[in-house]
Tab-separated table of all heavy atoms in Angstrom:
chain	number	residue	atom	x	y	z
A	1	SER	N	-31.011	312.688	56.353
A	1	SER	CA	-31.932	313.387	55.470
A	1	SER	C	-33.038	312.444	55.021
A	1	SER	O	-33.044	311.259	55.313
A	1	SER	CB	-31.159	313.913	54.249
A	1	SER	OG	-30.586	312.843	53.549
A	2	ALA	N	-33.985	312.985	54.275
A	2	ALA	CA	-35.113	312.186	53.796
A	2	ALA	C	-34.627	311.058	52.897
A	2	ALA	O	-33.626	311.194	52.203
A	2	ALA	CB	-36.073	313.090	53.033
A	3	PRO	N	-35.335	309.922	52.903
A	3	PRO	CA	-34.903	308.777	52.086
A	3	PRO	C	-34.908	309.105	50.598
A	3	PRO	O	-35.694	309.916	50.126
A	3	PRO	CB	-35.950	307.708	52.408
A	3	PRO	CG	-36.579	308.131	53.689
A	3	PRO	CD	-36.522	309.630	53.685
A	4	CYS	N	-34.014	308.458	49.867
A	4	CYS	CA	-34.017	308.546	48.415
A	4	CYS	C	-33.408	307.262	47.871
A	4	CYS	O	-32.940	306.408	48.627
A	4	CYS	CB	-33.274	309.785	47.916
A	4	CYS	SG	-31.506	309.768	48.224
A	5	ARG	N	-33.425	307.097	46.564
A	5	ARG	CA	-32.919	305.888	45.933
A	5	ARG	C	-31.669	306.234	45.130
A	5	ARG	O	-31.652	307.209	44.384
A	5	ARG	CB	-33.984	305.282	45.017
A	5	ARG	CG	-33.564	303.960	44.382
A	5	ARG	CD	-34.736	303.274	43.731
A	5	ARG	NE	-35.689	302.817	44.716
A	5	ARG	CZ	-35.570	301.689	45.418
A	5	ARG	NH1	-34.518	300.918	45.244
A	5	ARG	NH2	-36.487	301.343	46.286
A	6	ALA	N	-30.623	305.405	45.313
A	6	ALA	CA	-29.342	305.661	44.655
A	6	ALA	C	-28.931	304.457	43.814
A	6	ALA	O	-29.284	303.316	44.112
A	6	ALA	CB	-28.263	305.966	45.682
A	7	LEU	N	-28.141	304.734	42.772
A	7	LEU	CA	-27.546	303.710	41.919
A	7	LEU	C	-26.039	303.874	41.968
A	7	LEU	O	-25.507	304.937	41.630
A	7	LEU	CB	-28.049	303.864	40.483
A	7	LEU	CG	-27.440	302.923	39.435
A	7	LEU	CD1	-27.803	301.470	39.726
A	7	LEU	CD2	-27.920	303.312	38.022
A	8	ASP	N	-25.336	302.822	42.408
A	8	ASP	CA	-23.878	302.814	42.479
A	8	ASP	C	-23.366	301.940	41.344
A	8	ASP	O	-23.499	300.721	41.381
A	8	ASP	CB	-23.451	302.269	43.852
A	8	ASP	CG	-21.942	302.231	44.049
A	8	ASP	OD1	-21.212	302.625	43.124
A	8	ASP	OD2	-21.509	301.802	45.138
A	9	ILE	N	-22.779	302.563	40.328
A	9	ILE	CA	-22.332	301.848	39.130
A	9	ILE	C	-20.887	301.401	39.297
A	9	ILE	O	-19.981	302.226	39.414
A	9	ILE	CB	-22.475	302.736	37.885
A	9	ILE	CG1	-23.934	303.151	37.687
A	9	ILE	CG2	-21.948	302.024	36.646
A	9	ILE	CD1	-24.157	304.114	36.523
A	10	GLY	N	-20.663	300.080	39.313
A	10	GLY	CA	-19.329	299.535	39.521
A	10	GLY	C	-18.919	299.645	40.970
A	10	GLY	O	-17.891	300.246	41.286
A	11	THR	N	-19.685	299.022	41.854
A	11	THR	CA	-19.506	299.252	43.288
A	11	THR	C	-18.206	298.697	43.849
A	11	THR	O	-17.724	299.158	44.874
A	11	THR	CB	-20.711	298.686	44.073
A	11	THR	OG1	-20.694	299.199	45.407
A	11	THR	CG2	-20.697	297.164	44.088
A	12	GLY	N	-17.599	297.680	43.182
A	12	GLY	CA	-16.353	297.116	43.700
A	12	GLY	C	-16.560	296.500	45.072
A	12	GLY	O	-17.361	295.586	45.247
A	13	THR	N	-15.858	296.999	46.072
A	13	THR	CA	-15.976	296.503	47.446
A	13	THR	C	-17.278	296.913	48.119
A	13	THR	O	-17.599	296.410	49.192
A	13	THR	CB	-14.823	297.030	48.316
A	13	THR	OG1	-14.897	298.459	48.347
A	13	THR	CG2	-13.472	296.585	47.780
A	14	GLY	N	-18.006	297.852	47.504
A	14	GLY	CA	-19.194	298.416	48.137
A	14	GLY	C	-18.898	299.664	48.935
A	14	GLY	O	-19.771	300.200	49.627
A	15	LEU	N	-17.670	300.180	48.833
A	15	LEU	CA	-17.224	301.299	49.656
A	15	LEU	C	-18.151	302.503	49.605
A	15	LEU	O	-18.592	303.007	50.643
A	15	LEU	CB	-15.811	301.715	49.224
A	15	LEU	CG	-15.269	302.981	49.900
A	15	LEU	CD1	-15.000	302.733	51.370
A	15	LEU	CD2	-14.007	303.469	49.191
A	16	LEU	N	-18.449	303.006	48.408
A	16	LEU	CA	-19.245	304.230	48.306
A	16	LEU	C	-20.645	304.032	48.863
A	16	LEU	O	-21.179	304.904	49.560
A	16	LEU	CB	-19.312	304.697	46.848
A	16	LEU	CG	-17.996	305.070	46.176
A	16	LEU	CD1	-18.251	305.545	44.751
A	16	LEU	CD2	-17.250	306.137	46.967
A	17	SER	N	-21.253	302.890	48.569
A	17	SER	CA	-22.600	302.612	49.083
A	17	SER	C	-22.604	302.562	50.600
A	17	SER	O	-23.545	303.045	51.249
A	17	SER	CB	-23.122	301.291	48.510
A	17	SER	OG	-23.346	301.395	47.122
A	18	LEU	N	-21.562	301.981	51.177
A	18	LEU	CA	-21.472	301.888	52.634
A	18	LEU	C	-21.250	303.259	53.266
A	18	LEU	O	-21.856	303.586	54.288
A	18	LEU	CB	-20.352	300.927	53.023
A	18	LEU	CG	-20.634	299.452	52.754
A	18	LEU	CD1	-19.348	298.646	52.790
A	18	LEU	CD2	-21.638	298.904	53.765
A	19	MET	N	-20.389	304.068	52.665
A	19	MET	CA	-20.148	305.411	53.196
A	19	MET	C	-21.410	306.254	53.132
A	19	MET	O	-21.728	307.006	54.063
A	19	MET	CB	-19.016	306.088	52.426
A	19	MET	CG	-17.663	305.415	52.615
A	19	MET	SD	-16.286	306.285	51.811
A	19	MET	CE	-16.026	307.630	52.989
A	20	LEU	N	-22.160	306.113	52.048
A	20	LEU	CA	-23.409	306.850	51.917
A	20	LEU	C	-24.443	306.369	52.924
A	20	LEU	O	-25.144	307.168	53.552
A	20	LEU	CB	-23.943	306.704	50.492
A	20	LEU	CG	-25.195	307.499	50.120
A	20	LEU	CD1	-25.003	308.987	50.360
A	20	LEU	CD2	-25.577	307.236	48.675
A	21	ALA	N	-24.526	305.050	53.110
A	21	ALA	CA	-25.502	304.493	54.053
A	21	ALA	C	-25.223	304.943	55.480
A	21	ALA	O	-26.164	305.107	56.279
A	21	ALA	CB	-25.489	302.968	53.974
A	22	GLN	N	-23.967	305.157	55.827
A	22	GLN	CA	-23.646	305.600	57.185
A	22	GLN	C	-24.257	306.952	57.494
A	22	GLN	O	-24.651	307.223	58.622
A	22	GLN	CB	-22.126	305.671	57.377
A	22	GLN	CG	-21.730	306.173	58.766
A	22	GLN	CD	-20.253	306.186	59.002
A	22	GLN	OE1	-19.542	305.242	58.650
A	22	GLN	NE2	-19.737	307.262	59.599
A	23	GLN	N	-24.376	307.799	56.488
A	23	GLN	CA	-24.833	309.167	56.716
A	23	GLN	C	-26.290	309.412	56.341
A	23	GLN	O	-26.896	310.352	56.847
A	23	GLN	CB	-23.956	310.137	55.918
A	23	GLN	CG	-22.476	310.081	56.262
A	23	GLN	CD	-22.169	310.591	57.649
A	23	GLN	OE1	-22.695	310.094	58.636
A	23	GLN	NE2	-21.323	311.600	57.727
A	24	CYS	N	-26.844	308.606	55.429
A	24	CYS	CA	-28.187	308.886	54.908
A	24	CYS	C	-29.043	307.626	54.857
A	24	CYS	O	-28.522	306.527	54.663
A	24	CYS	CB	-28.106	309.443	53.481
A	24	CYS	SG	-27.091	310.887	53.274
A	25	ARG	N	-30.327	307.805	54.958
A	25	ARG	CA	-31.260	306.692	54.787
A	25	ARG	C	-31.544	306.500	53.301
A	25	ARG	O	-32.682	306.654	52.843
A	25	ARG	CB	-32.541	306.952	55.562
A	25	ARG	CG	-32.389	306.883	57.071
A	25	ARG	CD	-33.691	307.178	57.752
A	25	ARG	NE	-34.119	308.556	57.472
A	25	ARG	CZ	-35.376	308.978	57.565
A	25	ARG	NH1	-36.340	308.136	57.885
A	25	ARG	NH2	-35.677	310.235	57.318
A	26	VAL	N	-30.528	306.163	52.548
A	26	VAL	CA	-30.637	305.979	51.108
A	26	VAL	C	-30.743	304.492	50.797
A	26	VAL	O	-29.991	303.682	51.334
A	26	VAL	CB	-29.408	306.576	50.391
A	26	VAL	CG1	-29.467	306.310	48.903
A	26	VAL	CG2	-29.300	308.065	50.663
A	27	MET	N	-31.654	304.125	49.928
A	27	MET	CA	-31.770	302.752	49.435
A	27	MET	C	-30.965	302.668	48.147
A	27	MET	O	-31.282	303.343	47.163
A	27	MET	CB	-33.232	302.388	49.193
A	27	MET	CG	-34.133	302.586	50.419
A	27	MET	SD	-33.635	301.583	51.833
A	27	MET	CE	-33.971	299.944	51.190
A	28	THR	N	-29.924	301.856	48.151
A	28	THR	CA	-28.970	301.838	47.042
A	28	THR	C	-28.979	300.501	46.316
A	28	THR	O	-28.925	299.439	46.938
A	28	THR	CB	-27.548	302.120	47.556
A	28	THR	OG1	-27.523	303.402	48.197
A	28	THR	CG2	-26.540	302.118	46.412
A	29	ASP	N	-29.015	300.569	44.977
A	29	ASP	CA	-28.735	299.416	44.126
A	29	ASP	C	-27.282	299.544	43.699
A	29	ASP	O	-26.903	300.498	43.005
A	29	ASP	CB	-29.649	299.403	42.893
A	29	ASP	CG	-31.078	299.035	43.233
A	29	ASP	OD1	-31.304	298.361	44.248
A	29	ASP	OD2	-31.988	299.424	42.459
A	30	ALA	N	-26.448	298.585	44.136
A	30	ALA	CA	-25.012	298.624	43.858
A	30	ALA	C	-24.678	297.542	42.840
A	30	ALA	O	-24.794	296.354	43.124
A	30	ALA	CB	-24.225	298.419	45.151
A	31	ILE	N	-24.265	297.938	41.638
A	31	ILE	CA	-24.053	297.018	40.519
A	31	ILE	C	-22.569	296.747	40.346
A	31	ILE	O	-21.757	297.674	40.350
A	31	ILE	CB	-24.621	297.610	39.214
A	31	ILE	CG1	-26.022	298.202	39.432
A	31	ILE	CG2	-24.630	296.555	38.111
A	31	ILE	CD1	-27.037	297.228	39.958
A	32	GLU	N	-22.203	295.476	40.179
A	32	GLU	CA	-20.805	295.101	39.965
A	32	GLU	C	-20.731	293.957	38.964
A	32	GLU	O	-21.409	292.946	39.115
A	32	GLU	CB	-20.155	294.687	41.293
A	32	GLU	CG	-18.747	294.156	41.159
A	32	GLU	CD	-17.813	295.128	40.432
A	32	GLU	OE1	-17.778	296.319	40.787
A	32	GLU	OE2	-17.131	294.677	39.480
A	33	ILE	N	-19.881	294.109	37.931
A	33	ILE	CA	-19.792	293.119	36.858
A	33	ILE	C	-18.893	291.935	37.220
A	33	ILE	O	-19.105	290.823	36.731
A	33	ILE	CB	-19.306	293.797	35.557
A	33	ILE	CG1	-19.533	292.875	34.353
A	33	ILE	CG2	-17.850	294.220	35.660
A	33	ILE	CD1	-19.317	293.554	33.008
A	34	ASP	N	-17.886	292.152	38.064
A	34	ASP	CA	-16.975	291.076	38.439
A	34	ASP	C	-17.581	290.245	39.569
A	34	ASP	O	-17.940	290.782	40.616
A	34	ASP	CB	-15.632	291.658	38.880
A	34	ASP	CG	-14.661	290.575	39.312
A	34	ASP	OD1	-14.122	289.890	38.432
A	34	ASP	OD2	-14.481	290.400	40.533
A	35	ARG	N	-17.685	288.935	39.366
A	35	ARG	CA	-18.381	288.093	40.351
A	35	ARG	C	-17.694	288.088	41.703
A	35	ARG	O	-18.349	288.191	42.742
A	35	ARG	CB	-18.520	286.659	39.821
A	35	ARG	CG	-19.299	285.756	40.773
A	35	ARG	CD	-19.581	284.408	40.174
A	35	ARG	NE	-20.507	284.509	39.042
A	35	ARG	CZ	-21.826	284.608	39.176
A	35	ARG	NH1	-22.382	284.640	40.375
A	35	ARG	NH2	-22.593	284.692	38.103
A	36	ASP	N	-16.355	287.951	41.726
A	36	ASP	CA	-15.652	287.918	43.005
A	36	ASP	C	-15.840	289.222	43.778
A	36	ASP	O	-16.103	289.213	44.989
A	36	ASP	CB	-14.160	287.657	42.784
A	36	ASP	CG	-13.868	286.202	42.466
A	36	ASP	OD1	-14.728	285.346	42.747
A	36	ASP	OD2	-12.776	285.920	41.937
A	37	ALA	N	-15.693	290.336	43.080
A	37	ALA	CA	-15.883	291.626	43.736
A	37	ALA	C	-17.315	291.775	44.227
A	37	ALA	O	-17.563	292.281	45.336
A	37	ALA	CB	-15.529	292.763	42.777
A	38	CYS	N	-18.264	291.331	43.415
A	38	CYS	CA	-19.669	291.419	43.792
A	38	CYS	C	-19.950	290.613	45.060
A	38	CYS	O	-20.616	291.092	45.984
A	38	CYS	CB	-20.556	290.930	42.648
A	38	CYS	SG	-22.312	291.027	42.993
A	39	GLU	N	-19.427	289.398	45.107
A	39	GLU	CA	-19.647	288.561	46.286
A	39	GLU	C	-18.989	289.164	47.518
A	39	GLU	O	-19.533	289.094	48.631
A	39	GLU	CB	-19.125	287.152	46.027
A	39	GLU	CG	-19.968	286.392	44.989
A	39	GLU	CD	-19.403	285.029	44.647
A	39	GLU	OE1	-18.289	284.706	45.131
A	39	GLU	OE2	-20.063	284.291	43.883
A	40	GLN	N	-17.823	289.785	47.326
A	40	GLN	CA	-17.168	290.442	48.461
A	40	GLN	C	-17.970	291.657	48.919
A	40	GLN	O	-18.106	291.895	50.125
A	40	GLN	CB	-15.756	290.878	48.079
A	40	GLN	CG	-14.956	291.440	49.246
A	40	GLN	CD	-13.630	290.753	49.413
A	40	GLN	OE1	-12.741	290.967	48.599
A	40	GLN	NE2	-13.466	289.949	50.449
A	41	ALA	N	-18.509	292.419	47.970
A	41	ALA	CA	-19.358	293.554	48.334
A	41	ALA	C	-20.592	293.088	49.100
A	41	ALA	O	-21.012	293.717	50.081
A	41	ALA	CB	-19.770	294.332	47.086
A	42	MET	N	-21.177	291.975	48.668
A	42	MET	CA	-22.331	291.417	49.376
A	42	MET	C	-21.967	291.083	50.822
A	42	MET	O	-22.741	291.367	51.753
A	42	MET	CB	-22.827	290.164	48.657
A	42	MET	CG	-23.519	290.416	47.340
A	42	MET	SD	-24.002	288.849	46.534
A	42	MET	CE	-24.823	289.458	45.066
A	43	GLU	N	-20.782	290.488	51.011
A	43	GLU	CA	-20.336	290.152	52.362
A	43	GLU	C	-20.093	291.411	53.187
A	43	GLU	O	-20.469	291.470	54.371
A	43	GLU	CB	-19.063	289.303	52.287
A	43	GLU	CG	-19.286	287.941	51.660
A	43	GLU	CD	-17.986	287.240	51.300
A	43	GLU	OE1	-16.896	287.805	51.598
A	43	GLU	OE2	-18.046	286.131	50.721
A	44	ASN	N	-19.478	292.416	52.582
A	44	ASN	CA	-19.228	293.671	53.306
A	44	ASN	C	-20.526	294.333	53.735
A	44	ASN	O	-20.636	294.845	54.856
A	44	ASN	CB	-18.414	294.620	52.425
A	44	ASN	CG	-16.975	294.176	52.250
A	44	ASN	OD1	-16.418	293.498	53.104
A	44	ASN	ND2	-16.366	294.552	51.135
A	45	VAL	N	-21.506	294.315	52.860
A	45	VAL	CA	-22.809	294.894	53.192
A	45	VAL	C	-23.502	294.082	54.275
A	45	VAL	O	-24.058	294.631	55.233
A	45	VAL	CB	-23.694	294.993	51.928
A	45	VAL	CG1	-25.141	295.318	52.305
A	45	VAL	CG2	-23.137	296.040	50.967
A	46	ALA	N	-23.462	292.751	54.137
A	46	ALA	CA	-24.138	291.880	55.103
A	46	ALA	C	-23.587	292.051	56.509
A	46	ALA	O	-24.333	291.922	57.500
A	46	ALA	CB	-24.009	290.424	54.663
A	47	HIS	N	-22.289	292.355	56.632
A	47	HIS	CA	-21.662	292.513	57.938
A	47	HIS	C	-21.655	293.964	58.420
A	47	HIS	O	-21.091	294.258	59.478
A	47	HIS	CB	-20.236	291.969	57.905
A	47	HIS	CG	-20.175	290.472	57.791
A	47	HIS	ND1	-20.029	289.821	56.583
A	47	HIS	CD2	-20.275	289.499	58.731
A	47	HIS	CE1	-20.022	288.509	56.789
A	47	HIS	NE2	-20.175	288.283	58.069
A	48	SER	N	-22.269	294.848	57.667
A	48	SER	CA	-22.343	296.257	58.045
A	48	SER	C	-23.623	296.515	58.844
A	48	SER	O	-24.483	295.644	58.936
A	48	SER	CB	-22.354	297.129	56.779
A	48	SER	OG	-23.647	297.139	56.177
């Protein structure tokens, strides 16, 4: 579908942002308060 902008609050592993990206051209800001989880989400996104 047409691009849009999304906000993922408490992304954790990045799961929801990744599932959404697979289906839509959505630009997502994924926010995570825990540093370890955030760094893991960054790695998951980088390897996707």
Side-chain angles (χ1 to χ4, degrees):
S1 61
C4 67
R5 184 168 292 279
L7 176 65
D8 181 0
I9 300 176
T11 194
T13 61
L15 174 69
L16 298 182
S17 293
L18 289 164
M19 294 185 78
L20 185 57
Q22 178 177 317
Q23 301 292 57
C24 305
R25 290 179 296 158
V26 176
M27 305 300 294
T28 301
D29 287 335
I31 315 302
E32 174 55 49
I33 194 170
D34 179 75
R35 183 173 293 279
D36 283 342
C38 181
E39 291 176 354
Q40 186 127 72
M42 288 177 178
E43 294 167 3
N44 289 333
V45 168
H47 290 95
S48 78

